[in-house]
Amino acid sequence: RLDIAMSLIGDPSVIVLDEPTTGLDPQSRLEVWATVKSLASAGTTVLLTTQHLEEAEQLADRIAILHEGRILVDGTLAELKRLLPPAEVEYVEKQPSLEEIFLAVTSTDRAS
């Protein structure tokens, strides 16, 4: 959060965030995601580095995959997905993730 706060001084048109959610609990991570989305929707260009690919999927308009110091591919998520064969439809029983359980039990709106 401090990275984002420090980056906003002076109302910049471009912000660089280097793994801003590393070490955050799931709730704080979602708050940072909401802030990044809000900045981007307001017209700020956000350059975000992350090793958490789910984060890139959620936040990025464009993604570059860097490996051993080289960009291997870049594009939108849809463009990158087209690099692989089409998805197969399978029936999968979905269980709640540990993150979903954490967020449910730590919610301030939760009845006691």
Side-chain angles (χ1 to χ4, degrees):
R1 288 188 221 169
L2 182 59
D3 278 348
I4 294 175
M6 295 293 289
S7 299
L8 293 176
I9 295 174
D11 194 28
S13 59
V14 177
I15 295 176
V16 178
L17 299 174
D18 184 20
E19 303 205 27
T21 61
T22 298
L24 296 181
D25 64 80
Q27 197 166 14
S28 295
R29 182 186 62 146
L30 293 175
E31 290 173 12
V32 170
W33 283 14
T35 301
V36 170
K37 287 178 183 179
S38 175
L39 289 168
S41 68
T44 301
T45 299
V46 180
L47 177 60
L48 174 81
T49 64
T50 185
Q51 294 183 41
H52 302 286
L53 301 184
E54 176 193 10
E55 189 162 81
E57 284 186 277
Q58 292 293 320
L59 299 176
D61 292 331
R62 297 194 55 80
I63 299 167
I65 296 178
L66 180 70
H67 181 66
E68 296 181 348
R70 291 187 32 230
I71 293 177
L72 301 180
V73 293
D74 69 280
T76 65
L77 180 58
E79 291 168 345
L80 296 179
K81 285 183 176 185
R82 286 195 293 268
L83 297 174
L84 298 177
E88 294 182 22
V89 177
E90 296 180 4
Y91 170 77
V92 178
E93 184 177 326
K94 183 173 181 325
Q95 295 290 321
S97 69
L98 185 55
E99 182 173 312
E100 290 168 327
I101 294 167
F102 174 88
L103 292 171
V105 300
T106 60
S107 172
T108 57
D109 299 332
R110 191 171 148 240
S112 298

